[in-house]
């Protein structure tokens, strides 16, 4: 790669129809990286497009597109993908359950593995 860290375009693309969740957390993370004073994760990130949490999207749609340094993308892509996959999976399944029931409130238990993240995903999905 040499000394220069190139700026690249990155996209997160849906592999199936789903209810998107986790974009707010990713955008918060990006914003924190922009203002990181220590320099460890300071990054110049430009958001190109982003879906909103709770939107139903189709397979092949772009959930999030952004520009950042190659090193930033390589350092963060797994965490970002894990977060959006987990939250979107929970939101999608919750939405499916909500659509099959009438007058039933779908709620997360107090012992969800990732606490508030999972609980927010249930709420995004309509629970």
């Amino acid at each position: 790669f040499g000394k220069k860290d190139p700026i690249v375009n990155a996209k997160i693309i849906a592999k199936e129809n789903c209810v998107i969740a986790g974009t707010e957390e990713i955008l918060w993370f990006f914003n924190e990286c922009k203002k990181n004073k220590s320099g460890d994760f300071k990054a110049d990130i430009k958001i190109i497009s982003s879906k909103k949490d709770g939107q139903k999207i189709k397979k092949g749609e772009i959930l999030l597109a952004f520009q950042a340094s190659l090193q930033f993308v390589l350092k963060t892509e797994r965490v970002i993908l894990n977060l959006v996959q987990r939250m979107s999976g929970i939101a999608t399944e919750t939405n499916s359950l909500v659509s099959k029931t009438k007058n039933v409130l779908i709620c997360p238990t107090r012992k969800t593995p990732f606490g508030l993240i999972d609980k927010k995903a249930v709420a995004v999905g309509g629970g």
Side-chain angles (χ1 to χ4, degrees), residues 3 5-7 14 19-20 23 34 37-39 41 47 57 63 66 70 73 75 86 90 99 101 104 108 118 122 127:
K3 291 187 178 191
D5 191 9
I7 301 298
V19 175
I20 185 68
T23 56
K34 284 181 181 182
K37 304 251 187 293
S38 72
F41 252 71
I47 305 301
I57 60 169
L63 312 177
F66 63 97
L70 178 60
V73 172
K75 286 180 182 178
R86 179 176 184 86
I90 292 169
S99 69
T101 60
V104 175
D118 288 354
V122 169

Side-chain angles (χ1 to χ4, degrees), residues 12-19 51 56-63:
I12 300 175
I13 300 170
K15 293 179 91 174
E16 59 186 59
N17 297 343
C18 66
V19 175
K51 299 290 186 185
K56 290 184 179 182
I57 60 169
K58 299 200 180 303
K59 178 180 179 177
E61 280 190 66
I62 296 172
L63 312 177

Side-chain angles (χ1 to χ4, degrees), residues 68-87:
S69 73
L70 178 60
Q71 290 298 315
F72 178 81
V73 172
L74 293 174
K75 286 180 182 178
T76 62
E77 58 93 15
R78 183 49 37 204
V79 173
I80 291 168
L81 290 175
N82 286 346
L83 178 71
V84 78
Q85 287 173 338
R86 179 176 184 86
M87 290 185 74

Side-chain angles (χ1 to χ4, degrees), residues 14 33 42 46 53 62 104:
C33 290
K42 187 165 178 71
K46 180 182 176 190
D53 283 354
I62 296 172
V104 175

